[in-house]
Amino acid sequence: MSKNSDEKIKRIVIVGGGTAGWIAAAGLSSLYKSEDLSIRLVESEAIGTVGVGEATVPHIRHFNVKLGIDERDFMQKTSATFKLGIEFCDWNRKGQSYVHPFGAYGEPLGGVGFHHHWVRMRKRGDTRSIDEFSLPVKMSHMARFAMPSPDMRSVESTFSYAYQFDAGLYAAYLRSYAEARGVVRTEGRITGVTQNAQTGFVEAVVLENGETVEGDLFIDASGFRGLLIEQTLKSGYEAWSHWLPCDRAWAVPCKASDANTPYTRATARDAGWQWRIPLQHRVGNGYVFSSGFLSEDAACATLMANLEGAAQAEPKMLSFTTGVRKQQWNKNVVAIGLASGFLEPLESTSIHLIQLAVTNLVEMLPDMRFCDDDRDEFNRIMHLEYERVRDFLILHYHATERDDTPFWDYCRAMTIPDSLAYKMALFRERGVIVNYKDGFFLEPSWLAVYIGQGVIPEGYDPLSERISDEALTRYMADYAGKVSAAVQAMPSHAAFLEQYCPSAVVTRRATAGAV
Amino acid sequence: MARLKSILICGSGVAAWFMAAGLSKALEGQNCRITVLDDGAEGDSACLGRAVLTLPSLRAFHSVLGIPEDQVIRATRAWPYTALNMGSYHIGIGDHGARLNAVAFHHFMTWRRQHGQIDNIDAFSIPALMSAQGKFTRPVNDPNSVLSGFSYGLVLDVGRYSDLLRHYALSRGVDVAEGCLTKVDGGAQIASVHRDQGVPLTADLYIDATGAAARLMSTMDVPFEADPYLKANRIRPALPHDTVVPVMTAAGQMLPVMGGTITDDVATDGEGRAFVQGRRAQFWAGNVLAVGHAGGVLQPFMGHELQLLHTSLIRLIGLFPDDGMSAVLAGEYNRLMIQTFDRVRDFVLLPQVLRGQTEGSPELIRKITQFKSRGRVVMYDEETYSEAFWVSVFLGEGVWPERYDRIIDSMDFERLNQQLIRMRDIMARAVSNMPPLQSVAGVPGVPA
Ligand SMILES: Cc1cc2nc3c(=O)[nH]c(=O)nc-3n(C[C@H](O)[C@H](O)[C@H](O)COP(=O)(O)OP(=O)(O)OC[C@H]3O[C@@H](n4cnc5c(N)ncnc54)[C@H](O)[C@@H]3O)c2cc1C
């Protein structure tokens, strides 16, 4: 029997120092002994990072806990705000909006999901929005925040949260974390790659100044270009643009006009959508659009015309093709971040997918034999995750009544993947939400987006009727009352941030502003 | 579209009464008439063998019905069990050891092995130790306690269990139709069910619980597909439950019984009852749902019979149709039940594949490959058996991962070894301090 010790990987080289590269460095360095394993990261300041990627999903907290990161310190240094969900404006119809919250709607009653009861009462003429029964939605509407309660019986426990932070500061934060744990950073532009003549495995990357960095395992975090995974190994790309036609984004930060909102906003526009991510010291904005339906200049003009405060930098354009690398792990190269594929930031999933890839890589870390099983299992799981996020994103575009531009006509009429079509059919007919073991959008997420996008079930679980109308009416009034009382008692998000984790950047900016 | 008003369950065994009991509770106050055409024909129970295991999750069923566990134990002459004896090892209901640094425990056993320490794997399993020593106590809720990492099922007399459920269903207004099933007007939908007396029966929804004969489903356009991997086709029930029970009264004599096999003897050809393993291409077609052996047959193993019934019931309730019989709901039910059945099939298949007796499905082969290679337990959607069950069989059958989780190498060698030995000692002590199984209230021979 072979032993672990004989075949261990001793050198990991991370190519790229964007968000993905430093997440990988931090994740790996926290778990392995440094005398056992050297981790080097190569990045080029001249090339730079994409530097967007500022909204997250709650899973990031598990990752931070695993790394032993202190939340207040982390939030201060990345100028972070809390995020309770995403507000979608004008997606189903112009003038209509909804929040996709990180949390539940009501609670199951008589063994039947709350939304069935809600649909039932709606059919009997109850016009209350399902929002009345979601604490995080109400908190978002009123820009309040408090920590979720650990007491599972209380309504204050019915939500979770994520962060909105400065991408540059986040990378810097993880960098100092990783460097403190022995990761060695090398500055320089990679101009060459050497491969084993027989196997094609990557043996080293060669820098502009002639330095060679050798490794056993390479993590390609080089961004869209996929320096190793694509340019060197030609792993191939599965494009999904026919379902998700946006292929460009303009991004620009601006001055914040109002108090911090504890959510990200995604506003549908003529040929895509605009994001608004509030941080403590500024607001991140961007217009994600389809160049097939709108010119780059027109998109830029739309974005600049729709800022709430003065722009703080020149707008920057990024091009992408939505899809996934056919093999995210090929030979001794594992791609993460933008090098592994791209799904637009509509549900802020990219950082999560990076962390998932790192977690899976830790679990499936290969040894020097690089057996195909490790690679295949990693690829199988990551592909599945990408597909499941993809379907969820398509739902936002497809389930719409908008017919005011050719872009929305296209999205409304396009053929969607079978894997999504049957889910929608089940929800439409009977309010059934399909659940999987893998795939991180759980029932409340699907529910929020279905209802928000106007997919209202025609039927509901007949077992809802086990609860009488009177009992249900009483329960619903009671729950809505608890929700609104809980929100009333919470401090504003801004006040909470101020006492919990005032941004290091805000302080600096305030001083600068005084000059 | 109107509410479903009538359900006809055909069958006389535990499958029929399980569904009748479960539905009578779920449809409480719904004005839905549930009728059972129980013609006494040999159904599921005969084929199941008479002693049957339940998995821990079946407790949820009893608690929904409102039948206290003591009552189940008394009525079915059951006793709790924490592990299935496989001869050279146990499949415990619970983890081996505890996770350290978020690494699953079997990696530590692999690590010890690679460093020359050959452990008896059962020594790290509380449920296996309990079973081997005839001890029992209920698990505690505190995750920090050694007594929290296991659970238990029941070994029960399935005939008595069926009676218990029957009484329950009847007390809740389930009707029994007289007569024997003679003919079914099937096709795309079932129009009616004929019997040797009285008028033909009609319902909005039919549940076929007639055992492997699948008297209703077989009239639909839904083929039975023999399992390509499970080859056993003869069954000889090993220990009728009744012969076990008297042994239970005398302390000490119980151990051989607990240590013996209570799963039935299966073989390819030879004596015993013939059966074919496999399942229907669909479990729900038109207005008929096939449950129990009418839906699919697997050789007895660790509690899957009642568990699959429970899953069928939960899925049916979750996708409960109205009288229009939606193809969308049926499609989802089938998707879920087919995956559930096939993953259970894989678990039943696992020891046989590891012993080289038969081939595995592609999903099972991936599982085996991943475990052998690095101790990874691949879990798919709709798994019935948790990781711990799979790990027990792998290790018990002598399949050790080639590699352990590398995070272990960043832990201190000596300290870790001491920690593991301490863990083993704590487990041994905890089990030896437990009361004997016979002292459980309600267990046959024990004053309640
Ligand atoms: C418009 C847009 C909005 C987004 N919004 C969100 C969001 O809200 N939430 C979210 O989770 N994600 C979001 N993302 C995704 C997120 O930005 C990325 O997943 C994240 O930034 C990771 O990028 P990366 O590290 O893979 O690539 P990059 O940031 O491009 O980093 C690449 C690194 O590789 C280095 N490099 C490249 N070539 C060489 C070379 N030849 N030699 C040396 N070094 C080299 C670069 O210097 C750089 O350090 C968004 C993405 C886009 C495009």
Side-chain angles (χ1 to χ4, degrees), chain B residues 66-283:
Chain B
I67 309 180
E69 184 165 78
D70 287 359
Q71 194 187 330
V72 176
I73 289 178
R74 263 193 306 276
T76 66
R77 305 220 175 146
W79 68 84
Y81 77 102
T82 53
L84 178 63
N85 189 324
M86 293 289 286
S88 57
Y89 65 95
H90 287 84
I91 306 176
I93 306 181
D95 290 326
H96 282 89
R99 275 176 185 269
L100 299 170
N101 281 12
V103 175
F105 188 77
H106 63 273
H107 289 285
F108 294 95
M109 283 195 281
T110 309
W111 171 78
R112 272 172 67 82
R113 234 178 134 79
Q114 288 196 10
H115 292 90
Q117 293 292 331
I118 309 293
D119 296 305
N120 173 359
I121 56 166
D122 282 356
F124 284 98
S125 162
I126 294 250
L129 291 171
M130 287 167 72
S131 179
Q133 297 175 26
K135 301 285 194 147
F136 186 75
T137 185
R138 290 191 165 81
V140 301
N141 226 337
D142 171 10
N144 293 321
S145 158
V146 272
L147 299 183
S148 67
F150 71 95
S151 190
Y152 64 96
L154 300 176
V155 186
L156 49 77
D157 175 330
V158 74
R160 291 193 159 87
Y161 186 58
S162 187
D163 285 346
L164 173 72
L165 297 175
R166 183 173 213 266
H167 275 117
Y168 179 90
L170 296 180
S171 76
R172 302 186 68 86
V174 169
D175 292 328
V176 179
E178 300 294 322
C180 292
L181 194 157
T182 53
K183 188 167 87 68
V184 176
D185 294 331
Q189 301 273 327
I190 287 186
S192 59
V193 170
H194 299 262
R195 49 189 174 149
D196 60 359
Q197 60 183 108
V199 293
L201 300 168
T202 58
D204 292 337
L205 175 68
Y206 296 84
I207 295 183
D208 184 347
T210 60
R215 302 280 304 274
L216 277 60
M217 202 49 139
S218 59
T219 68
M220 308 288 287
D221 218 6
V222 178
F224 176 84
E225 295 170 343
D227 192 85
Y229 311 107
L230 284 169
K231 302 285 170 45
N233 58 12
R234 296 273 149 183
I235 184 162
R236 219 176 36 207
L239 283 174
H241 199 89
D242 279 350
T243 68
V244 176
V245 172
V247 187
M248 292 296 296
T249 57
Q253 285 184 16
M254 189 187 52
L255 290 181
V257 174
M258 291 300 290
T261 167
I262 51 96
T263 53
D264 313 49
D265 220 6
V266 292
T268 15
D269 308 320
E271 22 167 332
R273 276 161 49 98
F275 75 120
V276 184
Q277 308 199 49
R279 62 164 166 81
R280 295 277 148 191
Q282 295 165 36
F283 292 94

Side-chain angles (χ1 to χ4, degrees), chain A residues 445-473:
Chain A
S445 294
W446 284 91
L447 181 61
V449 176
Y450 279 135
I451 300 217
Q453 299 281 152
V455 185
I456 308 290
E458 281 151 24
Y460 56 87
D461 190 333
L463 302 183
S464 158
E465 312 271 353
R466 286 187 298 193
I467 314 282
S468 71
D469 281 5
E470 304 75 68
L472 189 55
T473 306

Side-chain angles (χ1 to χ4, degrees), chain A residues 155-380:
Chain A
V155 73
E156 284 97 342
S157 72
T158 58
F159 70 99
S160 182
Y161 64 86
Y163 312 111
Q164 305 165 126
F165 50 56
D166 182 308
L169 298 177
Y170 181 55
Y173 189 88
L174 292 176
R175 174 177 164 183
S176 62
Y177 177 97
E179 285 183 332
R181 283 161 185 77
V183 173
V184 176
R185 174 185 178 275
T186 302
E187 163 65 34
R189 180 194 286 266
I190 296 168
T191 50
V193 177
T194 56
Q195 286 172 274
N196 183 292
Q198 268 95 54
T199 61
F201 275 48
V202 172
E203 290 178 335
V205 290
V206 185
L207 309 188
E208 211 167 23
N209 66 6
E211 191 188 343
T212 300
V213 180
E214 294 180 340
D216 302 325
L217 172 68
F218 288 82
I219 294 180
D220 186 348
S222 64
F224 287 123
R225 52 186 77 67
L227 194 70
L228 302 179
I229 198 77
E230 195 55 47
Q231 292 181 5
T232 307
L233 296 180
K234 314 262 178 287
S235 302
Y237 197 77
E238 185 179 327
W240 290 333
S241 339
H242 50 302
W243 287 315
L244 294 166
C246 289
D247 59 356
R248 301 273 192 285
W250 283 104
V252 67
C254 77
K255 204 165 164 309
S257 72
D258 57 0
N260 297 316
T261 47
Y263 55 86
T264 297
R265 180 178 297 141
T267 306
R269 300 244 177 265
D270 289 353
W273 59 280
Q274 179 174 337
W275 81 73
R276 173 189 185 273
I277 304 176
L279 314 183
Q280 288 192 46
H281 63 300
R282 63 165 167 80
V283 169
N285 309 276
Y287 186 3
V288 178
F289 65 101
S290 170
S291 63
F293 292 89
L294 188 69
S295 75
E296 292 171 358
D297 291 347
C300 187
T302 303
L303 175 64
M304 299 310 279
N306 284 289
L307 298 181
E308 65 196 64
Q312 292 185 326
E314 284 300 307
K316 175 169 132 182
M317 202 193 71
L318 300 143
S319 307
F320 50 81
T321 307
T322 296
V324 64
R325 202 65 68 193
K326 281 189 179 140
Q327 294 187 75
Q328 302 189 34
W329 176 338
N330 188 2
K331 300 187 194 289
N332 62 338
V333 173
V334 178
I336 62 167
L338 300 172
S340 69
F342 185 75
L343 288 165
E344 60 185 80
L346 189 54
E347 286 284 351
S348 325
T349 43
S350 298
I351 290 175
H352 168 69
L353 287 168
I354 296 169
Q355 294 177 342
L356 192 73
V358 171
T359 306
N360 282 329
L361 179 61
V362 165
E363 208 189 314
M364 291 170 228
L365 194 77
D367 58 25
M368 293 304 289
R369 295 172 302 166
F370 281 95
C371 58
D372 295 351
D373 302 330
D374 295 342
R375 177 199 67 197
D376 293 349
E377 180 66 0
F378 180 91
N379 285 338
R380 179 180 78 88

